Amino acid sequence: MAADLIDGKKLAADLRAEIAAGVAKLKAEKGVTPGLAVILVGDNPASVSYVTAKEKACAEAGMYSREIRLPAETPEADLLALIGELNADPAIHGILVQLPLPKGVSEKRVIDAIAAEKDVDGFTPVNVGKMLIGEECFLPCTPHGIVKLVQVTGMDLKGKHAVVIGRSNIVGKPVAVLLSRKDVNATVTMCHTGTKDLAAFTKTADVVVVAAGRPNTLTGDMLKPGAVVIDVGVNRVPDASKPKGYRLCGDADFASCSEVASAITPVPGGVGPMTITMLLWNTLEAACRAR
Ligand code: GUN
């Protein structure tokens, strides 16, 4: 069986058109342009390309984007002071600090410095806590996008078994929370590097979200026939035949998984476009709430 491709680009384009309409309406009715500040410290190549894509998407949606690129050796105190200024700036509704940060800068202190009402990544303790107890908040972008990607397959997740591989604060933990909330109602198992027999869990899963950061974490023989696979991994594998000298692959072995799954996200073109889309969604929401 060849799995259907879950087209993240198409879903993202549909949602971005809706967001752009929302931005135009907010400008026309209230004179407010949603503003996003994107801070990149250092020049990690993957982060540079994510940040560039975020800025482009922001402009295409009609939002104001302020790009702040700082050298890797920027002192933490300077970064905290900048976040303080952005917290107080009425033209900025959302603040995103691209992770990971260079060594010597505390991710925790930096995230804690972002005002919860401008935390469009949904990373601050206030927003994480609200998500956990089901209060209105900014949902983290990748997990929110993943739920939408599963839903677009038409699978009703109520009572289904979802296995999440990975327990990061950015993806694994929050996606497990969102999938188990009453509105989705899946039964969730979280697997990680301490899991003894990963395949024993994935073989009973209706949905597998793989966010392990390692290619070939999930292979077709580990799947139940008809499962939905959401691949969050973005790994660079050396490939001399490509102009850049590498190609991107996910955490799932696409060839074998697509023989067994009913639907699977490609890498690139699956989860990535949805992460950026949910960021725009949160930024529009932040601007709407700000007045
Ligand atoms: N690094 C990897 N993913 C993300 C994300 O969603 N937001 C931020 N700020 N940094 C990231």
Side-chain angles (χ1 to χ4, degrees), residues 204-256:
T204 68
D206 302 293
V207 178
V208 182
V209 177
V210 55
R214 188 169 50 90
N216 296 318
T217 299
L218 185 71
T219 48
D221 57 332
M222 297 165 72
L223 288 175
K224 176 164 103 172
V228 168
V229 174
I230 306 292
D231 190 349
V232 187
V234 185
N235 304 293
R236 290 181 175 197
V237 204
D239 185 341
S241 73
K242 301 281 175 198
K244 290 186 174 163
Y246 66 84
R247 69 188 155 79
L248 293 181
C249 79
D251 291 348
D253 172 45
F254 186 84
S256 64

Side-chain angles (χ1 to χ4, degrees), residues 76 80 83-84 87 97 99 101 106-117 119 123-128:
E76 184 182 304
L80 296 178
I83 293 170
N87 282 340
V97 181
L99 303 179
L101 288 165
S106 158
E107 240 165 62
K108 179 188 153 20
R109 281 193 291 271
V110 168
I111 290 171
D112 281 355
I114 300 170
E117 62 277 15
D119 168 31
F123 286 174
T124 58
V126 168
N127 281 313
V128 173

Side-chain angles (χ1 to χ4, degrees), residues 35-246:
L36 175 68
V38 177
I39 305 173
L40 173 63
V41 188
D43 55 4
N44 174 312
S47 294
V48 170
S49 64
Y50 287 133
V51 160
T52 307
K54 284 169 187 172
E55 290 157 354
K56 181 167 171 273
C58 217
E60 282 169 3
M63 294 183 182
Y64 164 59
S65 126
R66 191 179 300 168
E67 304 146 27
I68 303 155
R69 300 194 182 202
L70 301 170
E73 51 284 358
T74 301
E76 184 182 304
D78 291 6
L79 187 54
L80 296 178
L82 171 65
I83 293 170
E85 283 166 27
L86 295 168
N87 282 340
D89 187 335
I92 297 297
H93 303 97
I95 301 170
L96 179 144
V97 181
Q98 185 66 28
L99 303 179
L101 288 165
K103 281 201 184 68
V105 180
S106 158
E107 240 165 62
K108 179 188 153 20
R109 281 193 291 271
V110 168
I111 290 171
D112 281 355
I114 300 170
E117 62 277 15
K118 296 194 178 186
D119 168 31
V120 285
D121 254 331
F123 286 174
T124 58
V126 168
N127 281 313
V128 173
K130 285 185 172 180
M131 174 189 66
L132 199 60
I133 59 176
E135 276 186 24
E136 195 178 291
C137 62
F138 293 119
L139 295 179
C141 304
T142 303
H144 194 187
I146 289 169
V147 173
K148 293 205 172 286
L149 285 165
V150 179
Q151 286 169 337
V152 88
T153 66
M155 178 184 270
D156 181 0
L157 282 159
K158 286 192 177 56
K160 294 287 193 324
H161 184 204
V163 166
V164 177
I165 308 174
R167 58 180 152 186
S168 67
N169 289 339
I170 295 184
V171 184
K173 283 183 210 161
V175 86
V177 170
L178 292 185
L179 290 171
S180 58
R181 280 187 359 176
K182 277 239 170 84
D183 55 334
V184 178
N185 236 357
T187 300
V188 179
T189 303
M190 194 196 287
C191 297
H192 43 70
T193 47
T195 300
K196 289 235 167 69
D197 182 358
L198 180 61
F201 294 98
T202 55
K203 276 180 182 164
T204 68
D206 302 293
V207 178
V208 182
V209 177
V210 55
R214 188 169 50 90
N216 296 318
T217 299
L218 185 71
T219 48
D221 57 332
M222 297 165 72
L223 288 175
K224 176 164 103 172
V228 168
V229 174
I230 306 292
D231 190 349
V232 187
V234 185
N235 304 293
R236 290 181 175 197
V237 204
D239 185 341
S241 73
K242 301 281 175 198
K244 290 186 174 163
Y246 66 84

